[in-house]
Amino acid sequence: MVMARWLSRDRVIPLLGVVMLATIFVATRQIDWRIIHPPFLTGYCLAVLLLSMLLLSLRKQLPGMPLGLASTWLHLHVVVGVVLLPCFWLHIGRIWPNGLFEQVIAAIFYLVVLSGVVGRLMQKIIPANLTTAGGEVTRERIPREIIRLRLDVEQLLVGCTEETGKRSLAIAYEQTLAWYFRRPRFILAHIMGASTARHWFDNHVAGLIRSLDETERGYLDQICKLADGKHALDLHYALQMLLRSWLFIHAPLAFAFFVFVAWHVALVHVYVQ
Amino acid sequence: MTNSPKTPNEVSVDTANHRSRTYERPDFPYRCGRERLWSSPCGRGPNADGTCGGISECLPTRRGDRWHCSRPIWAGGPCTHGPKPDGSCYTQRPPCRPQASARIKRHRASLFAVVASVAIIAGLFATSSGILGFDRNLTIPGPLTAAHANLIDGKRCVLCHEGHERQGLTLAKALVEHQDISRQCSQCHGFDGHSSKPHNAPLTGDQTPADVSCIGCHTEHKGAIANISILPDADCHGCHEPNVRFQEFVDKGSGSHPPFSDSFGKLDISSIRFDHAKHFETHFKKPQHQEHRPKSCTTCHQRAETRGELDIPSFEEGCASCHEGKIKDQPMLLLTWPEMETMDPPGAQAIDHCRIDELFNLDDFESTSLELPGLIEAFFMDVDPDDMTDYGDAYQKLGNLLAIEGVRPLADLVQDKGGDPARLLAGLAPEIIANPACNWIANQEYEGPEPLGTSGWTAEPLGLSYHPIGHADPVLRAWLEFGGEIGSSGADELSTSALKAALFDPESGPGLCASCHQAPATGEMIWRSESQSRRHTVFDHEPHLAIEQAKGVKLCTTCHELGPTDSEEQGYENIGLQTCQQCHGQRWVGASCATCHRYHPAR
């Protein structure tokens, strides 16, 4: 039982990565060079590892297939990615190659790795921040939720106007707060963790509240509560956008890397092998 | 929605009633265009092909003869107007422009990256092939070393890479064909052996080593100043089996450097014999010779121009002062006119040729010569030198022939035994051999004029001798080589052994030369002393001597310990692994394979 608990995914997959790397490293030292030269050995290992990186993408394309948890595949993807870096250095024998073509490949590789590391860090940090912010909402759902909040606010304004016979709150909303409820705002501030949005909203409410009577203030309080939800939605929107945006760098670069690697392999076979 | 207590900022999303909301599909390729503009999305959303699916609120369904509104509950339920009589929806809207989802955008970005990569690669190769007007290969994996770069003039990659100029189908074939770069290397780089075999030499015995490639160790395109001939230990470990793997030079058990052979460090027993122990200890014991005693090894062995080697002094530099005189004083007796029991008179032609006036008395014959035949000529004449009845006729016949014809009969005998008269009898004038022969067949001693010099062929009163002109005499050398090479078998065994004994006797004739120049183990004659043959090892004496001199410790004998005299190892003990381990393998002295070994054998 203890063993089974110890052999969790978080331990087994990294252990697998370490074994993989150690095997490749030892193989380059132990292999009979008359059979295969170490650069070719590490090159083919790199190729296999690179192809295995595609498995995550493939898994995502087949959501209906019983192929295990996507998170497990992601874990494997990350570990193989970590193994790839020393394996790459082992292959080129240095950190930065000499030739222009190889330098382009290396630059793309490092960018892919860097974007992957940044993405993985964001995957670790941002969901925790979102949980702290409260609630769970998918990225696709956020626009509808914002629209729903805006309709709720507009419903309150109609009710306020009907009850008090005054349009001051509605006019003030239209001139100031409507901009805020229209769509996600202060995205950069949310990403940076600043409370600019709350200050902006509180400042406008403070300026508005002096011209309202007691009934209108009651409605304004309800709008402020809805604004709390808007703050949370904006935070979700900003962070989830960030959480996905790194893939716009990682994935295209990775596919570009595959193209360059394929050409590199072809060159090696034509010129050397 | 989580079950945790609701915080002020918590997002309020109703997920309980699926009928009150649309089904979000993250992998759906398009999103409603109205939603993109932060307006209320339509209920139906975009179509799978990216067109707007929300022009109408619903697609009415027909039950019986009536059309019914099918607007879902989450979109407000069936409308009050209901469908038009023709079955179309009553509520029509202008179409939106659906937006691609993030996944589709990512796919498009990836596709763009792939296309851009292909374009970049094509551009690089177009540039490299000069299509764009440039003449620079941008696809090479790095600059060549200066020597190779000059050789290929910057663009002739095909000198090394056969596949470089292939096109079309042949280029495709090159993908799977083996490219043998080593063959291209060996067009310029020659080796003293097979270029594609390990260490350039096919192994003997049952071993059938696979071919090795130059690029296995020497990787080009590492830069103009890269030294691609200095290789890491890993390059050696790639082939060597664990039992001969040198993980550590210092003694750490099974992974250490294997011990040196018992002969390592001993002077090569197949080289010129020189007993160092005698020359240090024995020959200079007398007080009058003490001043000539060598102070150290470097008294004789100066540093050579060749890296790491020490000069072996020439005979003139190192030996002549003591040994030159004895060489000149030890002639080789090639022919001895022997004692005869009785003799026939010389032939008429010989009498005429030799102008013999008076013949000896046959009845009262008394041999002028009291010598026994020489072993050398006995070998050539196939006679028993101890049996007068056996050699008598042969000598008389030879004597007559030599008297008439001079050198030729002797040359014929030499040639019959496989010798080269041109070398063995070089410089032998006919009269030198004919005159003593004329006298001997007349049972007289030859009394010729005094020889002009003290060296060369000399007519003796009863024979023929050769006085060496000095060290490295070509005639004696030829005789020693002949004696060393001639085989003995069957009936010839005794005479051959006798010949060898005569030639290699250190007290007479060429045997003095053999005392230094004959390898005791093989019998082979060694004429030039060379440094010990180390095909795969290299030792640079210079830094070792410099260290010892700086430290003020004993010099060469730190490694080369004098052994017993008259030993085959020429007075030296072998060098053990521990001698080198005193410094190598420690922190301050390198112990990589290439420090002492070279892959390619010395030529």
Side-chain angles (χ1 to χ4, degrees):
Chain A
M1 185 66 181
V2 174
M3 188 66 179
R5 199 182 307 155
W6 191 88
L7 288 174
S8 64
R9 185 187 66 181
D10 291 348
R11 286 195 177 93
V12 169
I13 294 178
L15 196 66
L16 191 69
V18 171
V19 170
M20 208 184 302
L21 184 60
T23 307
I24 294 169
F25 184 78
V26 171
T28 57
R29 295 290 181 272
Q30 300 287 334
I31 190 91
D32 190 330
W33 285 25
R34 287 163 291 180
I35 299 170
I36 184 171
H37 298 310
F40 286 97
L41 176 71
T42 51
Y44 291 131
C45 288
L46 268 176
V48 171
L49 291 175
L50 282 172
L51 288 175
S52 72
M53 298 294 276
L54 285 174
L55 292 176
L56 176 66
S57 179
L58 193 67
R59 169 68 185 83
K60 286 183 174 178
Q61 301 296 324
L62 302 169
M65 299 286 282
L67 298 172
L69 293 171
S71 59
T72 303
W73 286 99
L74 175 63
H75 211 67
L76 197 65
H77 183 86
V78 170
V79 168
V80 173
V82 171
V83 170
L84 268 176
L85 191 61
C87 200
F88 181 77
W89 289 331
L90 207 59
H91 178 62
I92 64 173
R94 49 175 65 190
I95 292 189
W96 189 247
N98 278 322
L100 178 66
F101 186 68
E102 273 68 21
Q103 284 172 349
V104 171
I105 296 178
I108 296 173
F109 175 73
Y110 287 134
L111 283 174
V112 172
V113 171
L114 184 67
S115 61
V117 169
V118 170
R120 186 61 181 163
L121 285 175
M122 287 198 293
Q123 283 179 338
K124 287 286 182 188
I125 296 169
I126 291 177
N129 287 349
L130 289 174
T131 305
T132 308
E136 285 180 6
V137 60
T138 60
R139 169 71 176 74
E140 290 72 22
R141 185 75 184 160
I142 289 174
R144 291 168 191 267
E145 290 300 320
I146 288 177
I147 292 164
R148 186 180 62 78
L149 273 177
R150 191 170 69 225
L151 292 175
D152 287 350
V153 170
E154 287 170 0
Q155 197 69 38
L156 283 172
L157 291 172
V158 171
C160 176
T161 304
E162 284 177 355
E163 185 177 344
T164 61
K166 296 178 181 175
R167 298 182 58 234
S168 51
L169 182 58
I171 290 169
Y173 171 83
E174 192 57 37
Q175 289 175 346
T176 55
L177 301 183
W179 174 85
Y180 180 69
F181 281 99
R182 176 69 190 159
R183 53 171 296 172
R185 301 291 184 190
F186 302 105
I187 293 170
L188 187 60
H190 282 298
I191 289 172
M192 302 301 289
S195 51
T196 312
R198 191 166 294 280
H199 289 309
W200 182 91
F201 191 84
D202 290 347
N203 281 340
H204 280 82
V205 168
L208 185 63
I209 202 167
R210 289 191 293 271
S211 60
L212 301 180
D213 61 18
E214 204 60 37
T215 312
E216 287 173 320
R217 284 179 186 177
Y219 278 100
L220 186 60
D221 282 345
Q222 291 182 59
I223 291 173
C224 287
K225 284 178 184 172
L226 291 173
D228 288 341
K230 175 66 166 51
H231 288 322
L233 279 174
D234 285 357
L235 180 65
H236 272 271
Y237 179 82
L239 294 185
Q240 287 194 43
M241 185 181 74
L242 193 63
L243 202 53
R244 295 180 180 201
S245 60
W246 69 272
L247 274 174
F248 277 91
I249 297 171
H250 186 73
L253 280 176
F255 282 105
F257 182 61
F258 274 107
V259 173
F260 276 91
V261 165
W263 195 251
H264 169 74
V265 171
L267 277 183
V268 167
H269 277 261
V270 169
Y271 277 74
V272 182
Q273 177 66 299
Chain B
M1 200 67 186
T2 61
N3 294 328
S4 57
K6 202 171 180 180
T7 62
N9 285 343
E10 191 161 338
V11 182
S12 174
V13 182
D14 181 12
T15 57
N17 184 3
H18 72 278
R19 296 170 72 88
S20 67
R21 49 174 287 194
T22 55
Y23 171 55
E24 282 89 32
R25 291 173 293 176
D27 57 343
F28 196 71
Y30 295 98
R31 288 172 53 210
C32 177
R34 294 185 179 83
E35 187 181 88
R36 181 169 64 91
L37 299 171
W38 305 99
S39 299
S40 296
C42 62
R44 296 185 56 207
N47 298 318
D49 61 355
T51 56
C52 179
I55 297 173
S56 58
E57 284 275 309
C58 73
L59 284 176
T61 54
R62 184 169 185 163
R63 290 196 289 271
D65 58 347
R66 290 182 65 88
W67 291 94
H68 296 271
C69 178
S70 63
R71 193 166 70 175
I73 293 171
W74 55 260
C79 60
T80 53
H81 304 289
K84 290 180 180 175
D86 61 355
S88 60
C89 181
Y90 183 84
T91 311
Q92 297 281 322
R93 288 182 299 204
C96 72
R97 199 176 66 184
Q99 184 189 28
S101 69
R103 170 167 293 200
I104 288 295
K105 286 178 181 173
R106 258 200 328 268
H107 287 179
R108 286 175 181 169
S110 298
L111 185 65
F112 173 77
V114 168
V115 172
S117 301
V118 172
I120 289 171
I121 289 170
L124 282 175
F125 279 84
T127 306
S128 304
S129 57
I131 294 173
L132 299 181
F134 297 103
D135 189 16
R136 189 181 168 201
N137 194 341
L138 301 176
T139 58
I140 61 171
L144 290 167
T145 52
H148 287 159
N150 291 333
L151 182 70
I152 68 162
D153 196 20
K155 51 191 175 184
R156 295 169 60 198
C157 306
V158 74
L159 274 180
C160 298
H161 303 286
E162 283 180 297
H164 179 69
E165 289 186 347
R166 293 195 181 193
Q167 290 179 338
L169 270 179
T170 55
L171 181 64
K173 276 176 71 180
L175 280 169
V176 291
E177 279 181 354
H178 176 65
Q179 311 293 318
D180 186 8
I181 286 189
S182 299
R183 193 174 59 192
Q184 317 292 84
C185 302
S186 58
Q187 288 183 0
C188 297
H189 297 275
F191 302 104
D192 192 15
H194 203 296
S195 63
S196 66
K197 293 294 179 190
H199 295 286
N200 300 132
L203 302 183
T204 54
D206 297 332
Q207 292 173 302
T208 52
D211 285 356
V212 291
S213 168
C214 303
I215 60 168
C217 299
H218 304 289
T219 314
E220 252 294 0
H221 297 289
K222 283 185 172 177
I225 58 170
N227 190 338
I228 61 172
S229 60
I230 294 180
L231 305 170
D233 286 358
D235 285 9
C236 304
H237 297 166
C239 291
H240 287 273
E241 299 300 325
N243 59 340
V244 291
R245 186 158 291 168
F246 318 140
Q247 296 292 1
E248 297 287 345
F249 188 78
V250 291
D251 193 3
K252 286 184 180 175
S254 60
S256 304
H257 192 293
F260 295 155
S261 67
D262 289 341
S263 64
F264 184 78
K266 292 178 179 176
L267 296 188
D268 191 348
I269 58 174
S270 62
S271 68
I272 290 176
R273 290 152 75 183
F274 183 86
D275 194 327
H276 287 79
K278 273 186 176 174
H279 284 79
F280 270 114
E281 305 295 344
T282 310
H283 294 332
F284 301 98
K285 276 184 177 173
K286 291 179 180 175
Q288 64 267 33
H289 297 152
Q290 276 289 323
E291 63 176 308
H292 301 298
R293 182 180 184 277
K295 303 293 182 293
S296 72
C297 304
T298 51
T299 303
C300 298
H301 298 288
Q302 303 297 319
R303 289 169 195 176
E305 289 182 0
T306 312
R307 181 181 175 270
E309 302 293 345
L310 291 181
D311 260 342
I312 296 171
S314 65
F315 176 85
E316 288 73 20
E317 292 168 340
C319 316
S321 59
C322 296
H323 297 285
E324 178 88 68
K326 194 177 178 184
I327 292 172
K328 289 183 176 176
D329 291 345
Q330 197 158 309
M332 176 182 72
L333 199 57
L334 176 62
L335 183 62
T336 302
W337 295 115
E339 180 185 8
M340 300 289 283
E341 194 175 351
T342 180
M343 283 179 76
D344 295 329
Q349 195 177 357
I351 291 171
D352 183 46
H353 192 81
C354 296
R355 297 175 185 171
I356 298 171
D357 300 327
E358 186 180 353
L359 291 175
F360 51 84
N361 188 352
L362 292 173
D363 298 331
D364 186 21
F365 179 77
E366 188 175 341
S367 177
T368 304
S369 173
L370 299 175
E371 303 292 332
L372 286 172
L375 298 174
I376 298 175
E377 76 262 23
F379 167 78
F380 289 111
M381 294 163 70
D382 283 330
V383 295
D384 181 357
D386 296 326
D387 185 355
M388 203 177 288
T389 57
D390 184 38
Y391 68 69
D393 290 344
Y395 268 88
Q396 284 197 71
K397 185 179 175 186
L398 179 65
N400 279 284
L401 286 172
L402 289 176
I404 298 167
E405 299 182 35
V407 180
R408 196 187 60 79
L410 185 60
D412 289 344
L413 288 175
V414 169
Q415 199 157 17
D416 288 346
K417 290 291 185 180
D420 179 9
R423 290 186 67 213
L424 295 172
L425 303 176
L428 176 58
E431 64 275 14
I432 291 177
I433 195 166
N435 292 340
C438 285
N439 283 271
W440 182 75
I441 57 175
N443 196 27
Q444 293 173 358
E445 281 192 7
Y446 171 65
E447 293 178 5
E450 281 295 312
L452 293 174
T454 56
S455 59
W457 294 101
T458 306
E460 300 290 344
L462 287 169
L464 175 68
S465 67
Y466 180 81
H467 292 256
I469 55 174
H471 183 255
D473 185 277
V475 175
L476 291 191
R477 178 173 173 168
W479 277 102
L480 287 168
E481 286 174 353
F482 174 71
E485 290 167 3
I486 195 162
S488 58
S489 63
D492 287 341
E493 189 171 345
L494 277 176
S495 58
T496 305
S497 302
L499 173 76
K500 285 178 180 284
L503 286 175
F504 293 106
D505 177 10
E507 299 302 324
S508 67
L512 180 64
C513 311
S515 61
C516 292
H517 286 285
Q518 187 181 29
T522 60
E524 184 188 359
M525 300 307 298
I526 310 293
W527 298 115
R528 292 191 65 80
S529 198
E530 293 175 352
S531 294
Q532 193 169 5
S533 173
R534 293 191 294 264
R535 285 174 66 79
H536 297 292
T537 58
V538 61
F539 181 85
D540 192 346
H541 281 84
E542 189 154 345
H544 293 83
L545 290 174
I547 289 170
E548 289 188 333
Q549 284 168 346
K551 287 162 71 178
V553 295
K554 54 183 180 176
L555 296 172
C556 312
T557 50
T558 302
C559 301
H560 301 288
E561 289 184 32
L562 281 175
T565 58
D566 291 327
S567 64
E568 283 193 350
E569 289 76 28
Q570 313 201 28
Y572 275 104
E573 300 286 359
N574 69 317
I575 297 175
L577 185 62
Q578 67 278 3
T579 304
C580 305
Q581 285 173 341
Q582 291 172 19
C583 299
H584 289 277
Q586 307 296 335
R587 192 174 54 189
W588 58 88
V589 185
S592 65
C593 304
T595 304
C596 304
H597 298 284
R598 52 191 163 202
Y599 175 87
H600 299 292
R603 306 185 74 181

